mmCIF file of all heavy atoms in Angstrom:
data_model
loop_
_atom_site.group_PDB
_atom_site.id
_atom_site.type_symbol
_atom_site.label_atom_id
_atom_site.label_comp_id
_atom_site.label_asym_id
_atom_site.label_seq_id
_atom_site.Cartn_x
_atom_site.Cartn_y
_atom_site.Cartn_z
ATOM 1 N N GLU A 143 -11.416 52.086 -19.031
ATOM 2 C CA GLU A 143 -12.706 51.593 -19.509
ATOM 3 C C GLU A 143 -13.820 52.152 -18.613
ATOM 4 O O GLU A 143 -13.555 52.522 -17.460
ATOM 5 C CB GLU A 143 -12.754 50.064 -19.479
ATOM 6 C CG GLU A 143 -11.762 49.401 -20.464
ATOM 7 C CD GLU A 143 -12.171 47.980 -20.809
ATOM 8 O OE1 GLU A 143 -13.382 47.701 -20.808
ATOM 9 O OE2 GLU A 143 -11.264 47.172 -21.068
ATOM 10 N N VAL A 144 -15.008 52.208 -19.146
ATOM 11 C CA VAL A 144 -16.178 52.611 -18.355
ATOM 12 C C VAL A 144 -16.804 51.336 -17.776
ATOM 13 O O VAL A 144 -17.201 50.450 -18.540
ATOM 14 C CB VAL A 144 -17.195 53.372 -19.218
ATOM 15 C CG1 VAL A 144 -18.463 53.668 -18.412
ATOM 16 C CG2 VAL A 144 -16.600 54.669 -19.746
ATOM 17 N N TYR A 145 -16.889 51.261 -16.466
ATOM 18 C CA TYR A 145 -17.474 50.075 -15.845
ATOM 19 C C TYR A 145 -18.951 50.247 -15.505
ATOM 20 O O TYR A 145 -19.672 49.271 -15.267
ATOM 21 C CB TYR A 145 -16.681 49.632 -14.617
ATOM 22 C CG TYR A 145 -16.895 50.452 -13.378
ATOM 23 C CD1 TYR A 145 -17.920 50.171 -12.476
ATOM 24 C CD2 TYR A 145 -16.028 51.514 -13.052
ATOM 25 C CE1 TYR A 145 -18.104 50.911 -11.335
ATOM 26 C CE2 TYR A 145 -16.201 52.265 -11.913
ATOM 27 C CZ TYR A 145 -17.231 51.960 -11.046
ATOM 28 O OH TYR A 145 -17.401 52.710 -9.902
ATOM 29 N N LYS A 146 -19.409 51.520 -15.507
ATOM 30 C CA LYS A 146 -20.769 51.759 -15.095
ATOM 31 C C LYS A 146 -21.225 53.136 -15.595
ATOM 32 O O LYS A 146 -20.428 54.093 -15.594
ATOM 33 C CB LYS A 146 -20.908 51.701 -13.568
ATOM 34 C CG LYS A 146 -22.319 51.871 -13.027
ATOM 35 C CD LYS A 146 -22.317 51.738 -11.505
ATOM 36 C CE LYS A 146 -23.708 51.816 -10.916
ATOM 37 N NZ LYS A 146 -23.707 51.652 -9.447
ATOM 38 N N THR A 147 -22.450 53.228 -16.030
ATOM 39 C CA THR A 147 -23.044 54.511 -16.430
ATOM 40 C C THR A 147 -24.315 54.717 -15.628
ATOM 41 O O THR A 147 -25.187 53.846 -15.581
ATOM 42 C CB THR A 147 -23.390 54.519 -17.944
ATOM 43 O OG1 THR A 147 -22.194 54.264 -18.690
ATOM 44 C CG2 THR A 147 -23.969 55.852 -18.366
ATOM 45 N N VAL A 148 -24.393 55.893 -14.987
ATOM 46 C CA VAL A 148 -25.552 56.253 -14.186
ATOM 47 C C VAL A 148 -26.046 57.600 -14.706
ATOM 48 O O VAL A 148 -25.402 58.629 -14.500
ATOM 49 C CB VAL A 148 -25.231 56.363 -12.680
ATOM 50 C CG1 VAL A 148 -26.520 56.647 -11.896
ATOM 51 C CG2 VAL A 148 -24.569 55.089 -12.163
ATOM 52 N N GLY A 149 -27.150 57.575 -15.458
ATOM 53 C CA GLY A 149 -27.599 58.825 -16.093
ATOM 54 C C GLY A 149 -26.568 59.308 -17.058
ATOM 55 O O GLY A 149 -26.171 58.569 -17.986
ATOM 56 N N ASP A 150 -26.080 60.523 -16.860
ATOM 57 C CA ASP A 150 -25.063 61.072 -17.742
ATOM 58 C C ASP A 150 -23.645 60.849 -17.202
ATOM 59 O O ASP A 150 -22.663 61.284 -17.817
ATOM 60 C CB ASP A 150 -25.257 62.612 -17.894
ATOM 61 C CG ASP A 150 -26.549 62.944 -18.613
ATOM 62 O OD1 ASP A 150 -27.018 62.127 -19.454
ATOM 63 O OD2 ASP A 150 -27.128 64.004 -18.320
ATOM 64 N N THR A 151 -23.535 60.166 -16.073
ATOM 65 C CA THR A 151 -22.241 59.926 -15.441
ATOM 66 C C THR A 151 -21.629 58.600 -15.882
ATOM 67 O O THR A 151 -22.245 57.550 -15.728
ATOM 68 C CB THR A 151 -22.378 59.941 -13.906
ATOM 69 O OG1 THR A 151 -22.863 61.219 -13.497
ATOM 70 C CG2 THR A 151 -21.046 59.666 -13.240
ATOM 71 N N LYS A 152 -20.445 58.693 -16.429
ATOM 72 C CA LYS A 152 -19.673 57.483 -16.809
ATOM 73 C C LYS A 152 -18.557 57.322 -15.798
ATOM 74 O O LYS A 152 -17.756 58.224 -15.582
ATOM 75 C CB LYS A 152 -19.120 57.624 -18.234
ATOM 76 C CG LYS A 152 -20.204 57.714 -19.315
ATOM 77 C CD LYS A 152 -19.577 57.790 -20.676
ATOM 78 C CE LYS A 152 -20.640 57.949 -21.771
ATOM 79 N NZ LYS A 152 -21.579 56.809 -21.782
ATOM 80 N N LEU A 153 -18.500 56.125 -15.188
ATOM 81 C CA LEU A 153 -17.513 55.831 -14.182
ATOM 82 C C LEU A 153 -16.388 55.010 -14.770
ATOM 83 O O LEU A 153 -16.634 53.909 -15.279
ATOM 84 C CB LEU A 153 -18.146 55.128 -12.991
ATOM 85 C CG LEU A 153 -19.211 55.930 -12.218
ATOM 86 C CD1 LEU A 153 -19.874 55.061 -11.167
ATOM 87 C CD2 LEU A 153 -18.577 57.166 -11.586
ATOM 88 N N ASN A 154 -15.182 55.514 -14.681
ATOM 89 C CA ASN A 154 -14.016 54.856 -15.286
ATOM 90 C C ASN A 154 -13.328 53.901 -14.302
ATOM 91 O O ASN A 154 -13.367 54.114 -13.084
ATOM 92 C CB ASN A 154 -12.977 55.886 -15.730
ATOM 93 C CG ASN A 154 -13.436 56.719 -16.907
ATOM 94 O OD1 ASN A 154 -14.318 56.289 -17.672
ATOM 95 N ND2 ASN A 154 -12.848 57.891 -17.071
ATOM 96 N N ILE A 155 -12.704 52.899 -14.870
ATOM 97 C CA ILE A 155 -11.783 52.055 -14.124
ATOM 98 C C ILE A 155 -10.466 52.080 -14.865
ATOM 99 O O ILE A 155 -10.428 51.961 -16.093
ATOM 100 C CB ILE A 155 -12.345 50.631 -13.930
ATOM 101 C CG1 ILE A 155 -11.458 49.866 -12.932
ATOM 102 C CG2 ILE A 155 -12.501 49.875 -15.237
ATOM 103 C CD1 ILE A 155 -12.128 48.592 -12.391
ATOM 104 N N TYR A 156 -9.379 52.298 -14.124
ATOM 105 C CA TYR A 156 -8.052 52.471 -14.697
ATOM 106 C C TYR A 156 -7.279 51.174 -14.453
ATOM 107 O O TYR A 156 -7.090 50.759 -13.306
ATOM 108 C CB TYR A 156 -7.367 53.669 -14.031
ATOM 109 C CG TYR A 156 -8.134 54.957 -14.271
ATOM 110 C CD1 TYR A 156 -9.220 55.312 -13.449
ATOM 111 C CD2 TYR A 156 -7.810 55.786 -15.326
ATOM 112 C CE1 TYR A 156 -9.938 56.473 -13.685
ATOM 113 C CE2 TYR A 156 -8.533 56.973 -15.561
ATOM 114 C CZ TYR A 156 -9.597 57.305 -14.738
ATOM 115 O OH TYR A 156 -10.307 58.438 -14.968
ATOM 116 N N ILE A 157 -6.837 50.539 -15.526
ATOM 117 C CA ILE A 157 -6.319 49.180 -15.478
ATOM 118 C C ILE A 157 -4.843 49.141 -15.812
ATOM 119 O O ILE A 157 -4.425 49.579 -16.881
ATOM 120 C CB ILE A 157 -7.086 48.285 -16.454
ATOM 121 C CG1 ILE A 157 -8.616 48.369 -16.180
ATOM 122 C CG2 ILE A 157 -6.627 46.836 -16.369
ATOM 123 C CD1 ILE A 157 -9.462 47.795 -17.301
ATOM 124 N N TYR A 158 -4.057 48.611 -14.879
ATOM 125 C CA TYR A 158 -2.628 48.416 -15.107
ATOM 126 C C TYR A 158 -2.370 46.918 -15.248
ATOM 127 O O TYR A 158 -2.748 46.125 -14.379
ATOM 128 C CB TYR A 158 -1.825 48.972 -13.928
ATOM 129 C CG TYR A 158 -1.824 50.475 -13.864
ATOM 130 C CD1 TYR A 158 -2.817 51.165 -13.172
ATOM 131 C CD2 TYR A 158 -0.834 51.231 -14.508
ATOM 132 C CE1 TYR A 158 -2.816 52.548 -13.121
ATOM 133 C CE2 TYR A 158 -0.821 52.613 -14.443
ATOM 134 C CZ TYR A 158 -1.819 53.266 -13.768
ATOM 135 O OH TYR A 158 -1.824 54.637 -13.722
ATOM 136 N N GLU A 159 -1.716 46.552 -16.339
ATOM 137 C CA GLU A 159 -1.497 45.159 -16.654
ATOM 138 C C GLU A 159 -0.013 44.768 -16.522
ATOM 139 O O GLU A 159 0.856 45.591 -16.791
ATOM 140 C CB GLU A 159 -1.964 44.860 -18.082
ATOM 141 C CG GLU A 159 -3.425 45.111 -18.320
ATOM 142 C CD GLU A 159 -3.824 44.899 -19.791
ATOM 143 O OE1 GLU A 159 -2.925 44.988 -20.656
ATOM 144 O OE2 GLU A 159 -5.008 44.630 -20.043
ATOM 145 N N PRO A 160 0.248 43.519 -16.168
ATOM 146 C CA PRO A 160 1.626 43.046 -16.149
ATOM 147 C C PRO A 160 2.203 43.049 -17.564
ATOM 148 O O PRO A 160 1.457 42.987 -18.553
ATOM 149 C CB PRO A 160 1.495 41.606 -15.604
ATOM 150 C CG PRO A 160 0.164 41.549 -14.953
ATOM 151 C CD PRO A 160 -0.705 42.503 -15.723
ATOM 152 N N GLU A 161 3.478 43.080 -17.665
ATOM 153 C CA GLU A 161 4.135 43.031 -18.969
ATOM 154 C C GLU A 161 3.787 41.714 -19.663
ATOM 155 O O GLU A 161 3.845 40.642 -19.041
ATOM 156 C CB GLU A 161 5.667 43.138 -18.793
ATOM 157 C CG GLU A 161 6.423 43.237 -20.077
ATOM 158 C CD GLU A 161 7.918 43.465 -19.874
ATOM 159 O OE1 GLU A 161 8.313 43.660 -18.716
ATOM 160 O OE2 GLU A 161 8.673 43.428 -20.879
ATOM 161 N N GLY A 162 3.426 41.807 -20.933
ATOM 162 C CA GLY A 162 3.094 40.614 -21.709
ATOM 163 C C GLY A 162 1.717 40.055 -21.440
ATOM 164 O O GLY A 162 1.362 38.977 -21.914
ATOM 165 N N HIS A 163 0.915 40.792 -20.682
ATOM 166 C CA HIS A 163 -0.411 40.325 -20.319
ATOM 167 C C HIS A 163 -1.325 40.238 -21.543
ATOM 168 O O HIS A 163 -1.233 41.063 -22.465
ATOM 169 C CB HIS A 163 -1.044 41.231 -19.274
ATOM 170 C CG HIS A 163 -2.359 40.781 -18.755
ATOM 171 N ND1 HIS A 163 -2.495 39.633 -18.000
ATOM 172 C CD2 HIS A 163 -3.608 41.291 -18.886
ATOM 173 C CE1 HIS A 163 -3.765 39.496 -17.681
ATOM 174 N NE2 HIS A 163 -4.465 40.466 -18.198
ATOM 175 N N LYS A 164 -2.240 39.263 -21.526
ATOM 176 C CA LYS A 164 -3.174 39.131 -22.633
ATOM 177 C C LYS A 164 -4.512 38.588 -22.163
ATOM 178 O O LYS A 164 -4.605 37.998 -21.057
ATOM 179 C CB LYS A 164 -2.609 38.219 -23.722
ATOM 180 C CG LYS A 164 -2.293 36.808 -23.256
ATOM 181 C CD LYS A 164 -1.628 35.998 -24.364
ATOM 182 C CE LYS A 164 -1.364 34.549 -23.930
ATOM 183 N NZ LYS A 164 -0.458 34.484 -22.763
ATOM 184 N N ALA A 165 -5.542 38.799 -22.954
ATOM 185 C CA ALA A 165 -6.857 38.275 -22.622
ATOM 186 C C ALA A 165 -6.785 36.757 -22.487
ATOM 187 O O ALA A 165 -6.071 36.105 -23.243
ATOM 188 C CB ALA A 165 -7.861 38.660 -23.718
ATOM 189 N N GLY A 166 -7.500 36.233 -21.559
ATOM 190 C CA GLY A 166 -7.499 34.795 -21.340
ATOM 191 C C GLY A 166 -6.520 34.346 -20.282
ATOM 192 O O GLY A 166 -6.581 33.197 -19.797
ATOM 193 N N ASP A 167 -5.597 35.228 -19.886
ATOM 194 C CA ASP A 167 -4.699 34.895 -18.761
ATOM 195 C C ASP A 167 -5.528 34.761 -17.486
ATOM 196 O O ASP A 167 -6.638 35.295 -17.393
ATOM 197 C CB ASP A 167 -3.641 35.979 -18.572
ATOM 198 C CG ASP A 167 -2.561 35.947 -19.635
ATOM 199 O OD1 ASP A 167 -2.539 34.979 -20.410
ATOM 200 O OD2 ASP A 167 -1.749 36.891 -19.679
ATOM 201 N N GLN A 168 -4.980 34.067 -16.549
ATOM 202 C CA GLN A 168 -5.672 33.879 -15.263
ATOM 203 C C GLN A 168 -4.883 34.580 -14.153
ATOM 204 O O GLN A 168 -4.433 33.942 -13.198
ATOM 205 C CB GLN A 168 -5.849 32.394 -14.959
ATOM 206 C CG GLN A 168 -6.892 31.706 -15.838
ATOM 207 C CD GLN A 168 -8.305 31.945 -15.336
ATOM 208 O OE1 GLN A 168 -8.654 31.585 -14.214
ATOM 209 N NE2 GLN A 168 -9.137 32.566 -16.152
ATOM 210 N N ARG A 169 -4.701 35.875 -14.297
ATOM 211 C CA ARG A 169 -3.939 36.636 -13.316
ATOM 212 C C ARG A 169 -4.810 37.024 -12.125
ATOM 213 O O ARG A 169 -6.026 37.291 -12.280
ATOM 214 C CB ARG A 169 -3.442 37.936 -13.954
ATOM 215 C CG ARG A 169 -2.600 37.747 -15.204
ATOM 216 C CD ARG A 169 -1.142 37.592 -14.867
ATOM 217 N NE ARG A 169 -0.317 37.725 -16.086
ATOM 218 C CZ ARG A 169 0.982 37.790 -16.089
ATOM 219 N NH1 ARG A 169 1.646 37.737 -14.951
ATOM 220 N NH2 ARG A 169 1.663 37.908 -17.216
ATOM 221 N N PRO A 170 -4.246 37.100 -10.940
ATOM 222 C CA PRO A 170 -4.981 37.685 -9.834
ATOM 223 C C PRO A 170 -5.217 39.149 -10.093
ATOM 224 O O PRO A 170 -4.430 39.793 -10.801
ATOM 225 C CB PRO A 170 -4.059 37.456 -8.638
ATOM 226 C CG PRO A 170 -2.697 37.349 -9.240
ATOM 227 C CD PRO A 170 -2.873 36.694 -10.575
ATOM 228 N N GLY A 171 -6.282 39.700 -9.535
ATOM 229 C CA GLY A 171 -6.598 41.102 -9.739
ATOM 230 C C GLY A 171 -6.926 41.808 -8.433
ATOM 231 O O GLY A 171 -7.203 41.180 -7.413
ATOM 232 N N ILE A 172 -6.868 43.129 -8.485
ATOM 233 C CA ILE A 172 -7.237 43.932 -7.320
ATOM 234 C C ILE A 172 -7.850 45.232 -7.808
ATOM 235 O O ILE A 172 -7.423 45.781 -8.834
ATOM 236 C CB ILE A 172 -6.032 44.214 -6.394
ATOM 237 C CG1 ILE A 172 -6.486 44.920 -5.106
ATOM 238 C CG2 ILE A 172 -4.940 45.005 -7.126
ATOM 239 C CD1 ILE A 172 -5.408 44.940 -4.016
ATOM 240 N N VAL A 173 -8.902 45.709 -7.125
ATOM 241 C CA VAL A 173 -9.538 46.976 -7.430
ATOM 242 C C VAL A 173 -9.398 47.885 -6.229
ATOM 243 O O VAL A 173 -9.833 47.528 -5.127
ATOM 244 C CB VAL A 173 -11.037 46.797 -7.758
ATOM 245 C CG1 VAL A 173 -11.668 48.142 -8.124
ATOM 246 C CG2 VAL A 173 -11.223 45.797 -8.909
ATOM 247 N N PHE A 174 -8.805 49.063 -6.410
ATOM 248 C CA PHE A 174 -8.622 50.051 -5.338
ATOM 249 C C PHE A 174 -9.670 51.147 -5.419
ATOM 250 O O PHE A 174 -10.047 51.606 -6.500
ATOM 251 C CB PHE A 174 -7.230 50.689 -5.428
ATOM 252 C CG PHE A 174 -6.115 49.806 -4.987
ATOM 253 C CD1 PHE A 174 -5.266 49.194 -5.902
ATOM 254 C CD2 PHE A 174 -5.847 49.597 -3.628
ATOM 255 C CE1 PHE A 174 -4.209 48.391 -5.521
ATOM 256 C CE2 PHE A 174 -4.802 48.794 -3.227
ATOM 257 C CZ PHE A 174 -3.984 48.186 -4.164
ATOM 258 N N PHE A 175 -10.091 51.615 -4.241
ATOM 259 C CA PHE A 175 -11.044 52.712 -4.132
ATOM 260 C C PHE A 175 -10.389 53.845 -3.318
ATOM 261 O O PHE A 175 -9.882 53.612 -2.202
ATOM 262 C CB PHE A 175 -12.331 52.246 -3.450
ATOM 263 C CG PHE A 175 -12.992 51.115 -4.185
ATOM 264 C CD1 PHE A 175 -12.836 49.789 -3.760
ATOM 265 C CD2 PHE A 175 -13.740 51.359 -5.324
ATOM 266 C CE1 PHE A 175 -13.435 48.746 -4.454
ATOM 267 C CE2 PHE A 175 -14.336 50.308 -6.013
ATOM 268 C CZ PHE A 175 -14.181 48.984 -5.579
ATOM 269 N N PHE A 176 -10.401 55.036 -3.857
ATOM 270 C CA PHE A 176 -9.727 56.202 -3.242
ATOM 271 C C PHE A 176 -10.494 56.703 -2.017
ATOM 272 O O PHE A 176 -11.677 56.458 -1.820
ATOM 273 C CB PHE A 176 -9.577 57.319 -4.248
ATOM 274 C CG PHE A 176 -10.888 57.819 -4.843
ATOM 275 C CD1 PHE A 176 -11.640 58.790 -4.210
ATOM 276 C CD2 PHE A 176 -11.341 57.305 -6.042
ATOM 277 C CE1 PHE A 176 -12.828 59.239 -4.764
ATOM 278 C CE2 PHE A 176 -12.527 57.757 -6.624
ATOM 279 C CZ PHE A 176 -13.275 58.733 -5.963
ATOM 280 N N GLY A 177 -9.776 57.470 -1.192
ATOM 281 C CA GLY A 177 -10.374 58.126 -0.027
ATOM 282 C C GLY A 177 -10.803 59.529 -0.358
ATOM 283 O O GLY A 177 -10.479 60.076 -1.402
ATOM 284 N N GLY A 178 -11.503 60.145 0.591
ATOM 285 C CA GLY A 178 -11.977 61.508 0.414
ATOM 286 C C GLY A 178 -13.305 61.748 1.077
ATOM 287 O O GLY A 178 -14.040 62.660 0.705
ATOM 288 N N GLY A 179 -13.651 60.927 2.059
ATOM 289 C CA GLY A 179 -14.860 61.175 2.839
ATOM 290 C C GLY A 179 -16.159 61.002 2.103
ATOM 291 O O GLY A 179 -17.151 61.628 2.449
ATOM 292 N N TRP A 180 -16.162 60.179 1.056
ATOM 293 C CA TRP A 180 -17.348 60.001 0.182
ATOM 294 C C TRP A 180 -17.748 61.320 -0.443
ATOM 295 O O TRP A 180 -18.861 61.482 -0.959
ATOM 296 C CB TRP A 180 -18.534 59.427 0.968
ATOM 297 C CG TRP A 180 -18.229 58.237 1.800
ATOM 298 C CD1 TRP A 180 -18.017 56.971 1.383
ATOM 299 C CD2 TRP A 180 -18.129 58.199 3.235
ATOM 300 N NE1 TRP A 180 -17.787 56.142 2.459
ATOM 301 C CE2 TRP A 180 -17.841 56.874 3.610
ATOM 302 C CE3 TRP A 180 -18.255 59.177 4.246
ATOM 303 C CZ2 TRP A 180 -17.664 56.482 4.943
ATOM 304 C CZ3 TRP A 180 -18.068 58.793 5.556
ATOM 305 C CH2 TRP A 180 -17.790 57.448 5.900
ATOM 306 N N SER A 181 -16.844 62.291 -0.397
ATOM 307 C CA SER A 181 -17.134 63.644 -0.853
ATOM 308 C C SER A 181 -16.263 64.099 -2.010
ATOM 309 O O SER A 181 -16.708 64.813 -2.877
ATOM 310 C CB SER A 181 -16.965 64.622 0.319
ATOM 311 O OG SER A 181 -17.283 65.960 -0.063
ATOM 312 N N GLY A 182 -15.013 63.657 -2.031
ATOM 313 C CA GLY A 182 -14.086 64.015 -3.113
ATOM 314 C C GLY A 182 -13.032 62.935 -3.267
ATOM 315 O O GLY A 182 -13.248 61.796 -2.881
ATOM 316 N N GLY A 183 -11.894 63.303 -3.836
ATOM 317 C CA GLY A 183 -10.819 62.350 -4.000
ATOM 318 C C GLY A 183 -10.643 61.939 -5.450
ATOM 319 O O GLY A 183 -11.397 62.343 -6.331
ATOM 320 N N SER A 184 -9.608 61.103 -5.676
ATOM 321 C CA SER A 184 -9.255 60.741 -7.038
ATOM 322 C C SER A 184 -8.642 59.336 -7.092
ATOM 323 O O SER A 184 -7.890 58.969 -6.200
ATOM 324 C CB SER A 184 -8.225 61.744 -7.604
ATOM 325 O OG SER A 184 -7.652 61.271 -8.817
ATOM 326 N N PRO A 185 -8.903 58.580 -8.174
ATOM 327 C CA PRO A 185 -8.281 57.283 -8.349
ATOM 328 C C PRO A 185 -6.757 57.350 -8.393
ATOM 329 O O PRO A 185 -6.074 56.333 -8.209
ATOM 330 C CB PRO A 185 -8.835 56.801 -9.710
ATOM 331 C CG PRO A 185 -10.147 57.482 -9.824
ATOM 332 C CD PRO A 185 -9.933 58.849 -9.224
ATOM 333 N N LYS A 186 -6.206 58.549 -8.629
ATOM 334 C CA LYS A 186 -4.743 58.692 -8.643
ATOM 335 C C LYS A 186 -4.107 58.325 -7.311
ATOM 336 O O LYS A 186 -2.911 58.062 -7.230
ATOM 337 C CB LYS A 186 -4.349 60.098 -9.043
ATOM 338 C CG LYS A 186 -4.466 60.395 -10.519
ATOM 339 C CD LYS A 186 -3.859 61.729 -10.897
ATOM 340 C CE LYS A 186 -2.338 61.715 -10.838
ATOM 341 N NZ LYS A 186 -1.721 60.901 -11.909
ATOM 342 N N GLN A 187 -4.884 58.337 -6.249
ATOM 343 C CA GLN A 187 -4.325 57.998 -4.944
ATOM 344 C C GLN A 187 -3.596 56.659 -4.962
ATOM 345 O O GLN A 187 -2.570 56.485 -4.280
ATOM 346 C CB GLN A 187 -5.431 57.989 -3.866
ATOM 347 C CG GLN A 187 -4.897 57.664 -2.469
ATOM 348 C CD GLN A 187 -5.987 57.593 -1.434
ATOM 349 O OE1 GLN A 187 -7.172 57.516 -1.745
ATOM 350 N NE2 GLN A 187 -5.599 57.615 -0.165
ATOM 351 N N PHE A 188 -4.129 55.697 -5.701
ATOM 352 C CA PHE A 188 -3.530 54.354 -5.712
ATOM 353 C C PHE A 188 -2.784 54.051 -7.027
ATOM 354 O O PHE A 188 -2.564 52.866 -7.337
ATOM 355 C CB PHE A 188 -4.598 53.312 -5.410
ATOM 356 C CG PHE A 188 -4.983 53.295 -3.950
ATOM 357 C CD1 PHE A 188 -6.114 53.984 -3.522
ATOM 358 C CD2 PHE A 188 -4.213 52.636 -3.020
ATOM 359 C CE1 PHE A 188 -6.441 54.015 -2.159
ATOM 360 C CE2 PHE A 188 -4.541 52.661 -1.680
ATOM 361 C CZ PHE A 188 -5.669 53.346 -1.235
#
């Protein structure tokens, strides 16, 4: 999903769900941010 748009840049968030997960569940969540010196890198790191 796109969580933010800045100008022409669309920023994606990649979401992994537990088996059988559905909207309305109250699951704990976590958001990971990749490394790369604020210069490069990829969400694939996590």
Side-chain angles (χ1 to χ4, degrees):
E143 295 201 30
V144 174
Y145 76 87
K146 183 177 183 179
T147 301
V148 184
D150 295 331
T151 299
K152 296 183 183 299
L153 297 174
N154 291 337
I155 189 164
Y156 299 83
I157 306 166
Y158 289 89
E159 299 176 336
E161 186 175 354
H163 185 67
K164 60 184 182 299
D167 285 351
Q168 288 279 299
R169 303 271 192 172
I172 187 167
V173 181
F174 285 104
F175 302 100
F176 58 86
W180 311 285
S181 182
S184 169
K186 282 189 72 69
Q187 181 182 14
F188 285 97

